[in-house]
Amino acid sequence: MINTEELRNAMDAFERGELNAADYKKISGGYGTYMERGDKTHMLRLGLTGGEADARQLGFIAGCAEKYKAAFAHITTCQTIQLHHLSSEAVCDIIGGSDNAGIRTLGCGGDHPRNVMASPLSGVDPADHFDVMPYAKAAARYLEEADKKIRLPRKLKVSFESSDKNDTHATFRDVGFIARPNGTFDVYTAGGLGVSPKLGLLTAENVDPGDTLLHLRAMIMTFIEHGNYKNRAKARTRFMRDEMGDERYKEEYHKNLQKAIDEGAGKLYIPRFLTDGSGQPENCSKDERIFCQKQAGRYAVRWIPVGGIVSIQMLRELSSELMRCGEAVLRLVPGGGAYIINCTEKEAYKFLKITENDTAVYDIEKSTACIGCSVCRTGIRDSQKLLSDIVLAVKASGLPEKCLPPIRISGCPSSCGAHQSGTIGFQGRVKKTASGELKSAFAVFLDGSGEAYNERMGESLGVVLTEDVPDMMVEIGQNTSPSFFEKYDENIVAARDIIMRYV
């Protein structure tokens, strides 16, 4: 049972006006909880290593959401589930019982190692080089123990990628491990989004996966030695590269890697089974949301709730069905959706039925959006409303389902929607009109990509008034129909021309 006395005391002091919001956030963030807008309710972030939840874990989340009357859940870009509109008593009670359910809340906020991410189809995707999930789980255990003994300058994000899809954006995290066909990892470090985004630096190649913990130790030592403890705005790992330059940064990293080796930081012994592509299963054409796994007779079902918003009823239905399955588990997708993997054919159709009225159909509905300023205390713009308004406008215009790409929306500079990596991305801003009036707006980014070895930050084109964004997106769709990605290069040019008229 996790001791929440410190958090309870901080909540009480904040409610009495004895603790200001900034000081309260310093305490609450370490427990994975933040005050919501209006200072009356709380959100709680539930960490799931690699985004994986089995029947017991999802049942715990659904049960808590029902018991404590959470308004809804939200799937985040770091493969966690957030419960919203909770009372302070509910937050403390859920945190107190989360550890026994195999769910981490401690360190899911604040200056701590965050939820360790992994490819949502790792271990089941025919495109895998090898299964990275065991390494992600070992890394999560290591970081959780290390977090009890160290104080980092700020948060540390770690991810593992099993193929070249780069769903977890491993090439622009603080530490990212990308599986290679020869059974090794390429290690990228000191990348990140947010203010002054930066692609990760290829720091080590052909790394034995057994040495994963050595590289985590090397980053922790480098971050503690060279991270900025005085200026939070410059305290992420990517700013160390700005201070030292890439070459000196790599020298310091590898010096600490050798120290980790000398200290005996630990070697992992996990069998690796490489995927050569020769044993791929039969073509699966039963439904576009059912995918054949590389294991014969096993299937994965894709579910994409629009905006990553999940009803409490859906949590209960999914957890109840998982209880009736043999090996099926839920895997969260960083963009806001999920897969239910390891299903038999019969189980796959059950999950398809459960989710059929709560999943994206249009590509634009597959977009990623942070929770937005209607809920987030530090947000600037309402990301969820913008996405909803765009979807309604596109459907009302009768445009084809694939005329627009999935987009990424962040309500503020924190980049919780990873807007810089989107084909089209939006970031909440304020715009001054010709008359001097300050109005709601979004900065627009174009042609970003998270795909491994083709990753790039989107080009910043300018700022568009929020009220104009739906019309702008409809106009883009009208000029890029029927499919945005079929003629990508041409359609990017068309989109840029249209956006520039609106900015």
Side-chain angles (χ1 to χ4, degrees):
M1 192 77 169
I2 298 173
N3 187 345
T4 58
E5 182 179 357
E6 179 193 37
L7 178 61
R8 290 176 188 270
N9 291 338
M11 285 176 162
D12 291 342
F14 180 76
E15 289 173 1
R16 291 194 301 266
E18 298 170 3
L19 190 66
N20 64 39
D23 289 337
Y24 171 71
K25 183 179 178 181
K26 290 177 184 177
I27 297 171
S28 72
Y31 288 87
T33 183
Y34 294 99
M35 186 69 73
E36 294 180 324
R37 186 167 292 278
D39 294 344
K40 295 185 183 299
T41 56
H42 307 256
M43 60 75 69
L44 177 61
R45 188 174 295 147
L46 302 167
L48 298 161
T49 301
E52 183 175 280
D54 59 21
R56 179 176 68 104
Q57 291 168 316
L58 196 61
F60 173 82
I61 295 171
C64 289
E66 290 171 334
K67 179 179 179 179
Y68 297 106
K69 296 180 171 53
F72 60 91
H74 183 234
I75 300 171
T76 74
T77 50
C78 285
Q79 292 181 304
T80 67
I81 292 179
Q82 292 180 174
L83 295 181
H84 285 279
H85 296 359
L86 295 170
S87 69
S88 57
E89 192 66 27
V91 167
C92 292
D93 286 354
I94 296 171
I95 291 174
S98 62
D99 203 40
N100 290 334
I103 293 170
R104 186 177 181 225
T105 61
L106 297 180
C108 282
D111 302 333
H112 302 273
R114 295 298 182 85
N115 190 55
V116 175
M117 301 173 66
S119 304
L121 290 178
S122 183
V124 305
D125 189 348
D128 270 358
H129 299 312
F130 60 88
D131 186 5
V132 301
M133 187 63 79
Y135 300 98
K137 291 184 176 180
R141 291 191 294 270
Y142 177 82
L143 291 170
E144 187 172 357
E145 287 303 309
D147 193 36
K148 299 173 184 176
K149 306 168 187 174
I150 61 175
R151 186 174 77 87
L152 295 173
R154 279 200 71 187
K155 58 191 171 186
L156 189 77
K157 293 187 176 183
V158 177
S159 68
F160 290 78
E161 187 62 41
S162 63
S163 71
D164 295 344
K165 296 176 182 177
N166 207 20
D167 288 324
T168 63
H169 291 167
T171 54
F172 41 101
R173 297 288 181 184
D174 296 298
V175 189
F177 297 87
I178 294 201
R180 304 306 302 133
N182 63 357
T184 67
F185 279 131
D186 282 349
V187 181
Y188 288 78
T189 64
L193 299 178
V195 177
S196 301
K198 191 181 293 292
L199 295 175
L201 182 68
L202 179 58
T203 310
E205 298 179 78
N206 295 312
V207 171
D208 182 345
D211 293 338
T212 294
L213 304 187
L214 297 174
H215 282 269
L216 292 178
R217 177 64 179 155
M219 172 51 84
I220 287 172
M221 288 192 286
T222 307
F223 197 18
I224 288 174
E225 289 174 9
H226 299 284
N228 194 326
Y229 282 91
K230 296 180 180 179
N231 182 357
R232 287 184 60 79
K234 296 291 184 181
R236 295 297 302 279
T237 61
R238 61 186 180 273
F239 295 111
M240 295 190 300
R241 288 169 56 191
D242 293 338
E243 290 293 324
M244 293 188 281
D246 285 354
E247 290 308 310
R248 185 179 164 225
Y249 163 75
K250 287 179 71 172
E251 289 174 5
E252 292 296 304
Y253 180 94
H254 283 278
K255 178 187 75 177
N256 284 322
L257 179 62
Q258 187 59 52
K259 283 183 182 179
I261 294 170
D262 295 340
E263 290 174 357
K267 194 171 184 72
L268 298 173
Y269 296 94
I270 299 170
R272 295 192 306 286
F273 302 97
L274 303 186
T275 300
D276 61 10
S278 62
Q280 293 189 17
E282 72 281 1
N283 183 44
C284 187
S285 58
K286 298 177 179 64
D287 188 279
E288 65 174 10
R289 291 202 292 125
I290 296 180
F291 297 82
C292 285
Q293 297 183 184
K294 61 185 177 184
Q295 296 84 1
R298 293 290 172 173
Y299 305 89
V301 179
R302 182 74 190 267
W303 163 57
I304 311 176
V306 177
I309 300 297
V310 184
S311 70
I312 306 309
Q313 180 183 351
M314 180 57 69
L315 283 178
R316 170 52 63 202
E317 290 184 27
L318 289 171
S319 66
S320 296
E321 190 59 42
L322 276 182
M323 289 285 186
R324 290 188 280 269
C325 294
E327 301 176 19
V329 296
L330 186 80
R331 292 268 186 89
L332 300 177
V333 175
Y339 287 98
I340 302 95
I341 68 167
N342 294 333
C343 299
T344 64
E345 184 174 349
K346 183 178 180 180
E347 290 166 350
Y349 276 105
K350 286 184 179 179
F351 284 112
L352 198 71
K353 180 69 173 176
I354 289 171
T355 58
E356 66 179 349
N357 295 320
D358 184 40
T359 194
V361 175
Y362 280 63
D363 279 3
I364 190 66
E365 292 180 300
K366 300 173 185 176
S367 299
T368 300
C370 71
I371 198 61
C373 70
S374 65
V375 176
C376 178
R377 197 176 189 278
T378 58
I380 299 174
R381 295 288 161 249
D382 193 340
S383 306
Q384 292 291 330
K385 186 176 187 306
L386 179 67
L387 177 57
S388 176
D389 288 346
I390 292 171
V391 169
L392 287 173
V394 169
K395 289 184 174 182
S397 299
L399 292 170
E401 294 174 359
K402 298 184 179 301
C403 67
L404 286 170
I407 62 176
R408 289 182 170 269
I409 309 173
S410 301
C412 74
S414 293
S415 302
C416 293
H419 59 273
Q420 299 99 328
S421 68
T423 303
I424 302 177
F426 294 93
Q427 181 218 334
R429 293 282 187 88
V430 173
K431 185 172 184 177
K432 183 180 285 188
T433 65
S435 64
E437 181 184 4
L438 297 178
K439 299 195 72 173
S440 172
F442 282 85
V444 188
F445 297 77
L446 185 68
D447 195 27
S449 172
E451 182 183 357
Y453 312 110
N454 191 36
E455 58 274 85
R456 58 187 178 273
M457 300 295 176
E459 176 189 4
S460 178
L461 297 183
V463 180
V464 177
L465 293 175
T466 302
E467 63 194 45
D468 291 336
V469 172
D471 288 342
M472 181 184 77
M473 293 300 293
V474 167
E475 189 173 343
I476 292 173
Q478 290 169 337
N479 283 269
T480 57
S481 291
S483 172
F484 193 96
F485 289 106
E486 278 187 8
K487 297 181 178 179
Y488 183 83
D489 292 342
E490 292 179 23
N491 288 336
I492 281 292
V493 172
R496 180 181 286 106
D497 290 342
I498 292 167
I499 292 168
M500 293 309 298
R501 285 196 278 104
Y502 279 84
V503 303

